Amino acid sequence: MQHVKLNNGLEMPIEGYGVFQVKPDETERCVLDALETGYRSLDTAATYGNEEGVGNALKKSGIPREEIFLTSKLWVADQGYEKAKKAFEKTLNKLGTDYLDLYLIHQPLGDYYGSWRALEELYKDGKIKAIGLSNFDSTRLVDLIVNNEIVPAVNQIELHPFLQQKEAQKVMKEYGVKVESWGPLAEAKHGILDDEMLNEIAAKHDKSVAQVILRWHLEQGIIIIPKSVRKERMAENLDVHDFSLDESDMEKIAELDGRYARIVDYDIMDIVTGMNASKTPE
Ligand code: NDP
């Protein structure tokens, strides 16, 4: 597995397994399947309500903790210096571990400056190996960077062929923040897997459309964390490291940018009020 070197030197697998929308009672089985398939990086979040399932799977797998790259995220309701520190401890307990590899501020809402100071301290105490953000647009990202000490290692944003985030990628590169894609398969929405051009490219390489899309991310050095509850798809999504897309494939896929609205739009008031109202699962 190829790794990406973060701005503090930490090596992160370029591909991991995400568990958003994996039901709490299915998570242990899914994560065990993912680990058996070969994934060694896992992405969860307090708000997913399935950190315990991830922790149970890690324990049952018998894989040494240091062989796993573990990411979780701080939810909006826990934003702010004091609350962030408490939420972090809760996350560690649920995951059954005493450190995280990566901890992200999940949303650019609420007192995320207070949270960032808490994360900086936890990082300096060695309880988190790298700290980062999620869903920060370029202006919020740069504002946070210029007003704080530690530059986020990662910004996890919606990124797929329908939302290629070229400008955001440029800014992140300039500031040394690695790009991590959520929804790398556009959550299989808007018929992305049936797109005619993507199907032609897939046929040319004897791969599936999902594999072509994931490879398209890897060609750009973007970290991916595709989710599937099905073991055969977990394997399919991991089998993307033995082929390359050529220039003409990349040019064709570039044409898909902006074809549909983003999955989560922070300009929509209901998104902002809804996330602020949402409690972190107990
Ligand atoms: P993905 O783009 O990974 O797509 C997941 C969907 O695609 C599921 O419906 C899955 O169905 C289907 N799928 C997966 N693999 C295949 C395949 N090979 N062929 C056909 N269909 C497939 O979306 P996610 O939103 O899950 O994003 C990935 C991860 O990113 C999340 O799990 C989470 O960890 C993170 N994330 C972070 C967010 C943030 O705000 N920071 C927001 C959203 C996600 P099935 O399970 O039935 O196979």
Side-chain angles (χ1 to χ4, degrees):
M1 168 71 66
Q2 187 189 332
H3 283 65
V4 167
K5 195 183 266 215
L6 306 183
N7 59 14
N8 63 353
L10 187 69
E11 299 269 351
M12 175 172 184
I14 197 161
E15 179 164 11
Y17 175 69
V19 294
F20 177 47
Q21 289 171 336
V22 178
K23 294 188 190 90
D25 59 359
E26 241 197 318
T27 305
E28 183 182 313
R29 191 275 299 164
C30 285
V31 174
L32 278 169
D33 280 352
L35 292 170
E36 206 174 285
T37 304
Y39 291 86
R40 287 295 178 270
S41 173
L42 303 171
D43 182 275
T44 183
T47 192
Y48 299 170
N50 58 20
E51 287 174 313
E52 274 145 338
V54 173
N56 292 342
L58 280 175
K59 199 166 162 198
K60 279 205 180 152
S61 75
I63 298 171
R65 171 68 185 87
E66 62 274 16
E67 288 179 22
I68 307 286
F69 191 102
L70 189 54
T71 301
S72 194
K73 311 184 197 85
L74 175 76
W75 188 238
V76 183
D78 299 315
Q79 212 78 272
Y81 179 82
E82 295 291 344
K83 284 199 269 181
K85 284 211 163 174
K86 275 193 203 138
F88 174 71
E89 286 303 324
K90 209 161 149 188
T91 277
L92 286 188
N93 286 339
K94 287 191 172 180
L95 288 167
T97 183
D98 55 5
Y99 74 96
L100 284 186
D101 295 277
L102 182 62
Y103 195 41
L104 307 177
I105 293 181
H106 205 146
Q107 304 291 350
L109 302 170
D111 178 16
Y112 56 81
Y113 275 86
S115 301
W116 190 252
R117 283 194 295 280
L119 265 60
E120 286 184 327
E121 281 183 16
L122 292 164
Y123 171 72
K124 287 180 189 169
D125 290 347
K127 293 192 164 179
I128 314 171
K129 294 199 167 179
I131 54 177
L133 307 171
S134 178
N135 297 307
F136 276 59
D137 64 23
S138 296
T139 51
R140 282 174 166 134
L141 171 74
V142 173
D143 183 60
L144 185 126
I145 291 172
V146 298
N147 286 295
N148 286 283
E149 187 188 339
I150 299 175
V151 176
V154 163
N155 187 18
Q156 185 183 110
I157 55 173
E158 180 183 346
L159 199 159
H160 44 73
F162 292 152
L163 182 67
Q164 303 191 9
Q165 303 266 26
K166 292 287 175 209
E167 284 309 310
Q169 287 198 53
K170 246 190 249 167
V171 174
M172 284 188 240
K173 194 169 180 199
E174 193 185 329
Y175 285 87
V177 180
K178 286 292 174 200
V179 184
E180 180 172 22
S181 150
W182 70 251
L185 299 170
E187 295 187 342
K189 288 180 174 151
H190 299 306
I192 195 165
L193 301 175
D194 299 322
D195 180 84
E196 203 180 315
M197 182 254 290
L198 290 175
N199 273 280
E200 278 168 22
I201 296 173
K204 178 173 127 186
H205 293 282
D206 201 17
K207 290 283 183 183
S208 69
V209 169
Q211 288 172 320
V212 165
I213 296 171
L214 296 174
R215 186 68 219 174
W216 169 84
H217 287 79
L218 299 182
E219 300 293 352
Q220 301 171 79
I222 297 169
I223 301 159
I224 49 172
I225 41 168
K227 167 261 176 188
S228 176
V229 294
R230 304 174 208 208
K231 202 173 179 189
E232 66 279 8
R233 286 183 176 170
M234 295 176 195
E236 179 185 334
N237 295 345
L238 200 56
D239 182 20
V240 291
H241 299 271
D242 64 345
F243 78 111
S244 296
L245 298 177
D246 59 36
E247 224 170 280
S248 93
D249 300 329
M250 294 300 281
E251 277 168 15
K252 285 182 194 154
I253 298 173
E255 289 166 19
L256 297 178
D257 194 16
R259 185 173 288 188
Y260 293 96
R262 50 179 69 220
I263 297 168
V264 178
D265 186 342
Y266 290 85
D267 289 334
I268 295 177
M269 197 55 78
D270 284 353
I271 296 276
V272 173
T273 52
M275 283 188 184
N276 269 293
S278 137
K279 303 243 181 305
T280 319
E282 269 314 308

